[in-house]
Amino acid sequence: MAGGRWGRWVVAVPMAGLALATAYPLVFTANVAVKSRREYVLDRFAPTGSPRWDNLAEAWAGVGTSRYFLNSTVVVACSVALLLLFGSMAGFALARLRFRGSSVLYLGCLAALFIPFQVIMVPLTRVLADTGLVDTYPGLVLAYVAQFLPFTVFLMTSYYSTVPAEIVDAARVDGSTALGAYWRIMLPMGAPALLSVGVLDALFCWNDVLIALLVMPSADHRTLMVGVTSLRGQYSDDVPVFASGVLVAAVPVLVVYLLLQRRIADGVTAGATRG
């Protein structure tokens, strides 16, 4: 009994420390975001006495955050839609269609997961520049699809591998084509996995800075994360407004996490726990 109690403490104490280390930066940023410059200079760690909500308004409207927010929303929505479409089709083909070279293609997807983006960023930007897609929404969408498609294919292949093969075989016996079996049977059955993978892809795309900075260099086309990063130089002497911009950028991610945290966990283990 005593050993079990000590075992729980051994697990609980490091986890509590990890939770505190994760939550403190967010609490600190939220506190600084509603401080005046004078309060921040006098004591940056003390709780604010009178919250200044106009810092948030200035970060949202005064420095173009609303435009950056719209850019991120458009790019992330289009990227996730294409990732789920192509990822689910490829996952179905690799998991349930028997064709020559499928194992090689699957191993290629696995290998792509371990290639750092820094290795491919020069050829990727060169291809986008040669095709006139730099500083355009389609260019950034295609870059995100290229970067995150292997991850989507891997998870969807794992999920579709757990679906009984008899379901697809029955559809083929009834005269359905492979595309028909995918569209009418496998795609609806994969809805839970698609939701989980879509949430993860959306978080990856929303939090990205490096790819967006390379593909969308002009100020008008910046995504929210790139725009917030640029505020650091513009507001180096007004940290509360900069912290307000960071907080605005983090709110959508926090909302998605709080609403869909169970789906996010399911997406990481998609296909691994189904019998």
Side-chain angles (χ1 to χ4, degrees):
M1 181 68 71
R5 185 168 63 249
W6 280 108
R8 287 194 293 271
W9 277 106
V10 169
V11 175
V13 171
M15 294 303 294
L18 179 61
L20 181 63
T22 303
Y24 179 73
L26 178 62
V27 175
F28 176 78
T29 301
N31 183 47
V32 172
V34 293
K35 277 188 171 185
S36 65
R37 292 176 60 182
R38 184 174 183 276
E39 283 182 312
Y40 177 78
V41 171
L42 291 177
D43 190 349
R44 67 186 65 182
F45 298 104
T48 180
S50 55
R52 290 176 55 89
W53 304 110
D54 54 334
N55 288 344
L56 296 169
E58 182 177 353
W60 175 260
V63 295
T65 304
S66 56
R67 184 174 66 251
Y68 303 151
F69 191 94
L70 178 61
N71 291 340
S72 285
T73 302
V74 172
V75 169
V76 170
C78 295
S79 300
V80 171
L82 292 178
L83 282 167
L84 294 182
L85 176 63
F86 295 147
S88 62
M89 294 182 73
F92 165 68
L94 292 172
R96 287 298 166 217
L97 300 183
R98 300 176 181 83
F99 59 94
R100 182 175 298 176
S102 59
S103 299
V104 176
L105 289 176
Y106 183 65
L107 291 176
C109 288
L110 290 181
L113 290 173
F114 301 98
I115 299 176
F117 176 73
Q118 289 78 3
V119 174
I120 65 171
M121 67 180 184
V122 172
L124 176 64
T125 51
R126 182 62 181 272
V127 169
L128 293 176
D130 291 343
T131 53
L133 291 175
V134 170
D135 211 19
T136 65
Y137 289 128
L140 185 56
V141 170
L142 290 176
Y144 282 151
V145 172
Q147 177 65 17
F148 301 120
L149 187 59
F151 171 78
T152 307
V153 171
F154 169 70
L155 290 185
M156 292 309 301
T157 302
S158 300
Y159 182 83
Y160 281 135
S161 297
T162 65
V163 176
E166 291 78 7
I167 295 177
V168 178
D169 295 338
R172 302 297 295 272
V173 170
D174 290 339
S176 178
T177 63
L179 182 60
Y182 160 76
W183 187 255
R184 288 192 289 272
I185 299 175
M186 298 300 282
L187 186 60
M189 290 187 67
L194 287 171
L195 179 58
S196 302
V197 177
V199 171
L200 291 174
D201 284 336
L203 293 178
F204 292 156
C205 296
W206 186 272
N207 290 327
D208 169 71
V209 174
L210 180 56
I211 301 176
L213 191 61
L214 290 172
V215 180
M216 303 279 264
S218 69
D220 288 340
H221 291 158
R222 284 172 179 164
T223 60
L224 184 57
M225 289 303 173
V226 176
V228 169
T229 304
S230 67
L231 296 182
R232 183 177 182 180
Q234 186 176 350
Y235 285 87
S236 59
D237 60 343
D238 196 348
V239 177
V241 174
F242 174 65
S244 298
V246 173
L247 191 64
V248 169
V251 165
V253 177
L254 291 174
V255 171
V256 170
Y257 175 75
L258 292 175
L259 294 177
L260 301 172
Q261 54 181 305
R262 187 65 172 272
R263 291 293 182 185
I264 295 173
D266 291 345
V268 175
T269 59
T273 57
R274 291 195 73 200

